[in-house]
Every structure is written in C-alpha cells, then in structure tokens.
Amino acid sequence: LALPLGTVKAWAFGQNYRYRDGRPKRFVKLIEAADPKRRYLSFANLCELYVLSALRRSHRIPMPVVRDSLDFVSKELGTERPLIARQFLTNGLSLYYKEAGRLMNASQPGQQEMDGDFEHALQRIERDQRGTPIRLFPLLAPAAPLSDKEREPTGAVVIDPRMAFGRPALTKGGVTTQVIADRFLARDDPAEMAEDYRVDVSDIWEAIRFELGPLRRAA
C-alpha cells in the first residue's frame, strides 16, 4: 500500500502524541482491526487501509472530513466497516457513499446529490456476490493523483489471500512481485522471465515498477 508503518498503526490501532505545548492527545483509530490485542490485520483491513490511503493521498480528503463521514455512514448503514460495506466516491472535497441507487453527501448528513458528476469509483477492489472483498489490485504509485487510465485496474498485479499467502503477485503466473524484482536486480532479462512464467512482458514490467518504483510500498 506504500503506507508508512506508523500510519498503519495509527489508523488501525490509534496513537498517542502530544501538542507542541506538551499536552497529551490521542489519535482515535479509523478501522476495526481483526485482532487488536495481538495487533493482527485481516485482508478486509488491508482493503480498508487501501481505501483510506486513496482518499487521503490521491484525492486529498482532509482527515476530519473522512472521520465525520465514516461515523455518519457507519450509523446510517449499521456497520462497523463502512469503507468496505459500500462503495465510496469523492469529488476531492467531500466524501460520498452510494446506497439504494442514490448518491449521498456523507460529509453533510442527509444532503443528496442529484447528478452523477462524481461517479468515478475505487474499482481496484474485487468483491464476491455478497459484496465481500476478495482481491485487491494495488496502485503502482498510490501517492500520486490518479489519471483516468490509472483508475481502472490493469489486472497484472494482485493481492489475493488465496494466492502466494496474500503477497503481491502476478495474477496470471502466481509468482510474487518480490521474486520478479529480485531477478531483475540480478540482471535477469524481463523477456526471459515472461517466458518462464508464461505471461506478457508488460506484466513483468508492472511487477518491477510495483516493487522498485519511487514509492516502494512500506506496508
């Protein structure tokens, strides 16, 4: 997810810090960890962190707006996991959710948007028929603004808890992106790797960019 470990800990478990004048302050967690006592995160938590990362980094949604919107949507839907319970939309200033075919402004409770101008979604999370996240197609550079092309998952690199023990891997070949990156650093030819794993060369290059890009993932 290219998130600093400290950010993951704060979002999942909360964090103590101090104001400049020394007064103590508590950052309240934003998601419900699968096992907070042992500090374990699930794949669903990973998807929640991904959505939060996209909202904060790619769309520059202020944290107070994110927190207020999550509280509102959680109450409206009666769920502890609003980030993956419904598809979230944003126009860069406010946070929205889609429910019963209506686009609602979650940062201004009860206000309904009448048009679909904000209808571009975070489509990199694949769900089953019940709406449960099952696969995540991570961004190559999640801290950069998304172009129209980047909003659509390429499908070459996937995080699937049923594949490679949940490590990022090639969707077709199943080999982890770390293995491909290690081979590339050892001067293996991408074209030969593509033949070895029976995938397109473009898939190999995407795995390399994912692992060795300017925003190599931290968590």
Side-chain angles (χ1 to χ4, degrees):
L1 299 181
L3 283 172
L5 182 59
T7 299
V8 173
K9 289 181 177 179
W11 288 359
F13 307 106
Q15 187 178 63
N16 294 318
Y17 65 98
R18 291 183 179 276
Y19 287 116
R20 291 183 180 179
D21 61 6
R23 289 179 299 156
K25 180 68 175 177
R26 176 72 179 173
F27 180 91
V28 180
K29 63 184 180 181
L30 291 166
I31 68 172
E32 194 67 37
D35 190 338
K37 290 185 178 180
R38 291 186 290 180
R39 302 177 79 82
Y40 286 170
L41 299 175
S42 65
F43 177 70
N45 290 147
L46 182 71
C47 292
E48 291 175 308
L49 291 169
Y50 162 75
V51 175
L52 281 172
S53 175
L55 292 172
R56 290 285 291 139
R57 287 176 162 180
S58 301
H59 303 296
R60 306 294 191 265
I61 303 297
M63 185 58 74
V65 174
V66 172
R67 191 180 295 279
D68 290 345
S69 299
L70 292 180
D71 289 343
F72 171 68
V73 175
S74 180
K75 293 176 182 178
E76 286 291 304
L77 301 182
T79 176
E80 294 182 353
R81 300 188 183 279
L83 286 165
I84 57 176
R86 289 292 186 273
Q87 195 171 36
F88 275 77
L89 310 173
T90 176
N91 68 350
L93 295 175
S94 300
L95 195 61
Y96 298 86
Y97 76 98
K98 194 172 184 180
E99 169 70 5
R102 298 179 301 166
L103 194 61
M104 302 291 292
N105 185 330
S107 65
Q108 299 177 26
Q111 179 177 335
Q112 181 176 345
E113 294 294 329
M114 300 306 293
D115 54 52
D117 290 343
F118 311 117
E119 193 70 32
H120 74 261
L122 299 173
Q123 297 177 351
R124 292 176 179 266
I125 296 178
E126 183 178 312
R127 302 167 183 268
D128 61 17
Q129 294 181 348
R130 297 177 298 178
T132 303
I134 56 175
R135 297 201 299 177
L136 171 63
F137 297 93
L139 292 167
L140 294 181
L146 296 182
S147 66
D148 290 339
K149 184 178 181 180
E150 287 175 321
R151 286 179 185 136
E152 298 296 331
T154 64
V157 175
V158 67
I159 298 175
D160 186 333
R162 302 163 298 181
M163 178 188 297
F165 298 99
R167 298 183 181 130
L170 289 182
T171 306
K172 295 180 182 178
V175 62
T176 65
T177 53
Q178 183 64 61
V179 168
I180 294 173
D182 289 344
R183 290 189 59 179
F184 178 73
L185 293 175
R187 304 296 179 87
D188 281 7
D189 182 57
E192 293 181 358
M193 284 191 277
E195 291 183 4
D196 291 343
Y197 302 123
R198 298 181 180 180
V199 298
D200 296 333
V201 177
S202 60
D203 292 354
I204 298 296
W205 279 114
E206 181 159 337
I208 293 170
R209 290 197 301 273
F210 175 76
E211 284 288 339
L212 304 179
L215 295 170
R216 184 186 180 100
R217 73 180 188 282

